[in-house]
């Protein structure tokens, strides 16, 4: 099962969740109706009162719907809300100890290896149990929370296994499902809270007890019914999350090729505690690596996680042959120096990568990807390695990436413009960083963007928006928009969007290729022009990609690429983001066929393809190639 199939499965589980939720509401309506019969003094003389049943049903549905909506609305800012409710504090490098820095390093390596933005990391300082969670709506706004107990009791391999487990939840679409689950189940919890309020209120409906039971008794009944709701909630959590935990364990092994890491953690959990002390743990229990709640006598039925022994047994069943057979679609090879390639041979020779492998690579992590991530981080000068984690330095790095490194006159014009809108120290730092970047491999540009995102997201929404506008201003000051700067703006804006528009949650709007056909054609036109220079080669690459789109033979298809600007490309990509996972798979496949037609991939092609995949929330590891630059003819074929 690949990334796109996992995304579709997550959508199906959402529908399953809604069905189970509806059944739970129906059970609770019947229970509240029976309690109401006794309160108004009708029962046991008569048990069928359709008007009362209708009234109870309407009031209950409205109450649960409002409570669920309120909780869902409060979670609109994503995983950071959950982390803070659980007592987590944002792990800032300047304040982190050695254990915290090791955690940040692991998260950075995993993020670069998987092709997603580096998640914010929250430390649950007061929690001594071994546990962790991932929360967010998409890979682009994910956060990871880790307990202090995990840092103190796990070695690096074991901690890497836990983080790999959580990255599986990020990549497989589990996080969005978990947040929806949290919002919906709060409506059921509201019934219990209402009963608790009435129980403590202790006001009688009427002094004549023969006409009905006191209101506090009705509150007690609601608490009991709410307890049924809690049980239903636990059953729903178990139904939705148990198999996902098995998958995440297996994915952690696949990511690291080290079953001892995740097995070591699970074995320690058999001897140690994974419970959380936070009162909010009940609502978020299904999100954690291990069981966050106190075991109950019906644990096997209501536990949100499979038994530890079963998880260990399944991992132990992954023998050497299974590990070798686990998908690692694009194999890496070692070339001269410390340069890593992912199937793309140096010097423009034929590549061993197929478009199908590129599609399978989406959302996939392998040990080779870790080696690549570690190699990239090792190439960074110490000043940049530290600078990506500090707000002002991260801002300067973003500006430095937009500066022209070839034309000194243009660069001077950019600097003069920047001095008008930014403090002197930021401009000076940007100049210093620009000098360092000119000495580095160009393949570090996109990873650098991902590395600075956590520091930039510590700024306010207005500051993030201002930063993006400043980068745009620097690009505009060059007089023309290059492909590299377009990719920079596209990725930077996408990565900062959760901060700029925290209430914007993208949902699927397009399930038919006809609705986004023109957008797909335009994006393929851009890729064909970037990868080829001759008119006939451009047309051939374009057609090769188009014929991979769903229903390509049934819809009108131009013989040659359509004219497009960078602005048009951005608008089309924004619409493609709203497509269903299955459609996105077809689009990424078509893009890969367009790029790989000639069995060569230039850095410009690789960066644009990766930027498109990133913006579609289809994380893909970096493509590496020792070729540098792209011809002016190719860059000028897409106009601003």
């Amino acid at each position: 099962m690949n990334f796109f199939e996992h995304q579709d499965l997550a959508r199906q589980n959402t529908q399953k969740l809604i069905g189970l939720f509806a059944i739970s509401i129906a059970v609770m309506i019947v229970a509240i109706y029976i309690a109401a019969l006794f309160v108004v003094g009708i029962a046991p003389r008569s048990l069928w009162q359709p008007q009362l049943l209708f009234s109870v049903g309407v009031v209950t549905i409205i109450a649960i719907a409002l409570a669920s909506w309120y909780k869902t609305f409060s979670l609109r800012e994503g995983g950071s809300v959950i982390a803070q409710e659980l007592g987590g504090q944002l792990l800032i490098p300047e304040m982190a100890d050695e254990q915290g820095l090791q955690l940040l390093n692991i998260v950075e390596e995993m993020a670069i290896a998987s092709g997603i933005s580096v998640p914010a990391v929250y430390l649950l300082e007061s929690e001594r149990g071994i546990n962790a969670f991932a929360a967010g709506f998409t890979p682009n706004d994910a956060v990871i929370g880790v307990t202090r107990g995990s840092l103190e009791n796990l070695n690096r391999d074991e901690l890497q296994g836990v983080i790999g487990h959580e990255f599986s939840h990020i990549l497989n679409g589990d996080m969005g499902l978990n947040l929806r689950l949290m919002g919906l189940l709060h409506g059921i919890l509201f019934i219990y809270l209402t009963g608790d309020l009435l129980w403590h209120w202790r006001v009688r409906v009427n002094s004549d007890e023969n006409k009905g039971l006191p209101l506090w008794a009705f509150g007690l009944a609601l608490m009991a019914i709410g307890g049924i709701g809690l049980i239903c909630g636990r059953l729903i959590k178990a139904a939705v999350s148990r198999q996902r935990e098995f998958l995440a364990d297996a994915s952690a092994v696949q990511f690291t090729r080290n079953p001892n890491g995740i097995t070591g953690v699970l074995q320690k959990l058999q001897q140690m505690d994974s419970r959380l002390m936070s009162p909010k743990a009940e609502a978020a229990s299904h999100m954690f690596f291990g069981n966050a709640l106190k075991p109950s006598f019906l644990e096997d039925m209501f536990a949100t996680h499979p038994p530890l022994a079963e998880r260990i047994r399944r991992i132990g069943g992954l023998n050497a042959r299974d590990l070798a057979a686990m998908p690692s679609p694009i194999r890496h090879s070692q070339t001269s120096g410390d340069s890593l390639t992912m199937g793309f041979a140096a010097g423009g020779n034929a590549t061993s990568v197929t478009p199908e492998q590129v599609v399978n690579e989406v959302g996939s992590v392998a040990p080779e990807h870790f080696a690549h991530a570690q190699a990239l981080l090792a190439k960074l000068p110490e000043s940049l390695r530290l600078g990506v984690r500090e707000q002002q330095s991260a801002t300067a790095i973003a500006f430095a990436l937009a500066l022209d490194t070839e034309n000194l006159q243009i660069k001077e014009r950019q600097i003069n413009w920047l001095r008008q809108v930014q403090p002197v120290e930021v401009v000076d730092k940007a100049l210093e960083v620009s000098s360092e970047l000119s000495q580095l491999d160009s393949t570090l540009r996109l990873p650098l963007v991902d590395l600075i995102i956590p520091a930039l997201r510590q700024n306010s929404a207005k500051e993030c928006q201002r930063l993006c506008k400043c980068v745009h201003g620097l690009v505009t000051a060059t007089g023309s928009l290059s492909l590299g700067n377009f990719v920079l703006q596209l990725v930077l804006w996408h990565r900062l969007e959760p901060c700029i528009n925290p209430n914007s949650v993208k949902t699927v709007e397009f399930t038919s290729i006809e609705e986004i056909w023109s957008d797909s054609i335009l994006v393929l036109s851009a890729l064909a022009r970037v990868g080829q220079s001759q008119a006939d080669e451009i047309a051939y690459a374009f057609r090769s990609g188009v014929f991979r789109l769903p229903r390509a033979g049934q819809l009108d298809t131009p013989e040659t690429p359509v004219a497009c600007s960078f602005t048009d490309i951005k608008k089309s990509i924004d619409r493609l983001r709203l497509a269903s996972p299955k459609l996105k798979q077809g689009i990424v496949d078509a893009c890969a066929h367009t790029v790989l037609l000639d069995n060569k991939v230039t850095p410009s092609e690789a960066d644009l393809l990766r930027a498109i995949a990133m913006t579609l929330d289809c994380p893909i590891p970096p493509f590496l190639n020792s070729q540098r630059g792209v011809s002016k003819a190719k860059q000028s074929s897409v106009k601003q």
Side-chain angles (χ1 to χ4, degrees):
M1 188 179 295
N2 64 21
F3 170 83
F4 303 98
E5 292 168 336
H6 282 304
Q7 299 295 311
D8 269 332
L9 180 60
R11 291 183 65 208
Q12 295 170 16
N13 280 338
T14 299
Q15 298 170 357
K16 176 182 178 182
L17 163 63
I18 294 173
L20 293 172
F21 182 65
I23 294 173
S24 300
I25 292 176
V27 171
M28 295 181 70
I29 288 174
V30 172
I32 294 174
Y33 166 70
I34 294 173
L37 287 175
F38 284 93
V39 168
V40 298
I42 296 176
R45 290 177 289 116
S46 175
L47 296 180
W48 177 240
Q49 296 292 326
Q51 189 172 7
L52 179 61
L53 177 60
F54 177 78
S55 300
V56 167
V58 169
V59 171
T60 302
I61 290 173
I62 290 175
I64 292 177
L66 287 176
S68 295
W69 174 85
Y70 170 78
K71 186 63 176 179
T72 301
F73 182 77
S74 69
L75 296 174
R76 68 192 184 282
E77 295 185 14
S80 59
V81 177
I82 305 298
Q84 291 166 13
E85 285 186 352
L86 292 167
Q89 296 292 325
L90 184 64
L91 189 57
I92 301 174
E94 295 88 342
M95 307 292 292
D97 57 15
E98 185 177 348
Q99 293 173 335
L101 291 175
Q102 177 179 256
L103 172 62
L104 290 174
N105 286 334
I106 293 173
V107 172
E108 287 175 347
E109 292 169 3
M110 183 73 73
I112 293 175
S114 60
I116 71 171
S117 62
V118 179
V121 179
Y122 284 80
L123 180 61
L124 280 60
E125 186 67 58
S126 61
E127 300 291 352
R128 298 297 166 180
I130 298 176
N131 228 322
F133 69 92
F137 287 103
T138 69
N140 198 43
D141 63 7
V143 306
I144 286 179
V146 179
T147 62
R148 170 56 72 177
S150 297
L151 299 188
E152 292 178 346
N153 294 289
L154 302 180
N155 60 38
R156 197 183 199 281
D157 285 347
E158 292 167 343
L159 191 57
Q160 189 179 75
V162 171
I163 299 303
H165 176 103
E166 298 308 326
F167 263 76
S168 171
H169 288 310
I170 294 174
L171 295 170
N172 292 332
D174 299 339
M175 294 187 310
L177 176 64
N178 286 338
L179 284 182
R180 296 182 188 97
L181 182 61
M182 207 171 167
L184 286 176
L185 294 186
H186 183 75
I188 295 178
L189 180 62
F190 177 75
I191 300 296
Y192 177 86
L193 297 176
T194 301
D196 184 65
L197 177 64
L198 295 178
W199 161 256
H200 289 93
W201 194 7
R202 297 174 184 273
V203 175
R204 295 180 181 276
V205 176
N206 193 301
S207 58
D208 185 358
E209 294 190 10
N210 292 328
K211 293 183 179 180
L213 294 177
L215 193 58
W216 63 262
F218 184 59
L220 190 61
L222 286 182
M223 289 177 66
I225 295 168
I228 297 174
L230 289 177
I231 293 175
C232 291
R234 286 283 191 92
L235 289 173
I236 292 174
K237 289 179 183 179
V240 171
S241 65
R242 280 194 177 192
Q243 289 303 315
R244 311 300 284 178
E245 293 303 315
F246 285 130
L247 172 63
D249 287 344
S251 296
V253 177
Q254 174 189 332
F255 293 172
T256 63
R257 291 295 196 279
N258 181 14
N260 294 330
I262 191 76
T263 301
V265 182
L266 296 174
Q267 289 173 340
K268 286 183 178 180
L269 286 183
Q270 289 181 315
Q271 308 297 325
M272 304 177 68
D273 200 356
S274 63
R275 288 180 297 168
L276 266 71
M277 299 297 104
S278 170
K280 302 288 186 178
E282 168 67 46
S285 60
H286 57 296
M287 295 185 176
F288 284 90
F289 174 83
N291 190 5
L293 304 176
K294 182 179 179 180
S296 65
F297 68 99
L298 292 176
E299 182 177 5
D300 289 344
M301 181 181 296
F302 299 132
T304 55
H305 291 65
L308 291 173
E310 177 64 13
R311 293 173 70 178
I312 294 172
R313 186 189 68 78
R314 291 204 182 192
I315 294 174
L318 297 173
N319 56 33
R321 181 178 298 177
D322 295 323
L323 293 177
M326 282 183 173
S328 180
I330 297 180
R331 296 295 178 186
H332 302 237
S333 60
Q334 190 73 27
T335 60
S336 59
D338 60 356
S339 174
L340 289 172
T341 65
M342 295 175 62
F344 299 127
N349 295 327
T351 172
S352 61
V353 179
T354 67
E356 289 74 20
Q357 287 175 317
V358 174
V359 173
N360 290 334
E361 187 80 353
V362 174
S364 175
V365 182
E368 293 87 347
H369 300 154
F370 283 117
H372 152 70
Q374 291 167 346
L376 282 182
L377 294 175
K379 291 179 182 178
L380 288 178
E382 186 66 16
S383 58
L384 282 180
R385 191 70 186 88
L386 298 176
V388 295
R389 294 175 172 177
E390 195 273 320
Q391 283 178 276
Q392 189 177 80
S393 294
T395 300
I397 291 172
F399 295 150
L401 288 168
L403 294 177
D404 194 304
T405 57
E406 297 180 358
N407 191 314
L408 294 180
Q409 290 183 339
I410 292 178
K411 184 176 181 179
E412 186 64 29
R413 188 161 65 240
Q414 289 178 301
I415 293 299
N416 290 336
W417 181 88
L418 190 61
R419 291 190 188 281
Q420 299 176 34
V421 296
Q422 288 292 328
V424 174
E425 57 270 20
V426 174
V427 180
D428 291 342
K429 183 65 177 177
L431 279 170
E432 179 186 335
V433 171
S434 177
S435 184
E436 291 181 302
L437 290 179
S438 64
Q439 308 298 318
L440 295 179
D441 195 321
S442 63
T443 57
L444 285 166
R445 287 176 61 86
L446 286 184
L448 262 179
V449 175
D450 281 336
L451 287 171
I452 64 177
I453 292 303
L456 295 181
R457 284 180 177 170
Q458 295 177 39
N459 295 319
S460 66
K462 287 185 177 179
E463 289 172 329
C464 288
Q465 191 170 27
R466 184 167 179 263
L467 181 142
C468 289
K469 288 181 177 179
C470 284
V471 170
H472 179 71
L474 283 174
V475 170
T476 304
T478 64
S480 63
L481 181 60
S482 68
L483 179 63
N485 278 338
F486 170 71
V487 168
L488 170 64
Q489 289 189 95
L490 187 66
V491 174
L492 185 64
W493 180 269
H494 178 63
R495 295 304 200 207
L496 291 179
E497 187 181 28
C499 181
I500 296 172
N501 299 310
N503 301 333
S504 175
V505 178
K506 302 297 182 183
T507 57
V508 172
E509 294 185 12
F510 306 125
T511 57
S512 170
I513 191 64
E514 290 89 343
E515 300 172 287
I516 52 173
W517 182 255
S518 60
D519 300 295
S520 304
I521 293 294
L522 192 144
V523 169
L524 294 178
S525 297
L527 278 170
R529 286 194 170 95
V530 168
Q532 309 296 330
S533 56
Q534 302 299 319
D536 57 339
E537 295 174 346
I538 293 173
Y540 185 51
F542 169 72
R543 289 194 299 270
S544 297
V546 169
F547 288 135
R548 296 296 301 184
L549 291 172
R551 301 193 61 193
Q554 305 172 34
L555 300 174
D556 292 336
T557 304
E559 287 296 317
T560 58
V562 299
C564 57
S565 67
F566 285 121
T567 301
D568 295 332
I569 299 171
K570 174 66 167 62
K571 289 180 180 178
S572 290
I573 292 175
D574 285 343
R575 282 176 50 82
L576 295 180
R577 287 183 65 189
L578 307 178
S580 67
K582 199 65 178 176
L583 284 180
K584 287 183 180 180
Q585 179 175 358
I587 293 165
V588 173
D589 178 65
C591 289
H593 274 81
T594 303
V595 168
L596 290 168
L597 173 71
D598 56 359
N599 292 328
K600 299 176 184 178
V601 179
T602 67
S604 296
E605 287 179 293
D607 284 351
L608 181 57
L609 179 56
R610 285 199 65 224
I612 291 171
M614 287 178 181
T615 313
L616 296 182
D617 288 320
C618 301
I620 188 167
F623 296 100
L624 302 179
N625 193 300
S626 64
Q627 291 179 280
R628 293 291 170 261
V630 63
S631 69
K632 296 296 182 182
K634 292 180 184 179
Q635 285 203 31
S636 62
S637 59
V638 180
K639 302 297 183 182
Q640 183 174 1

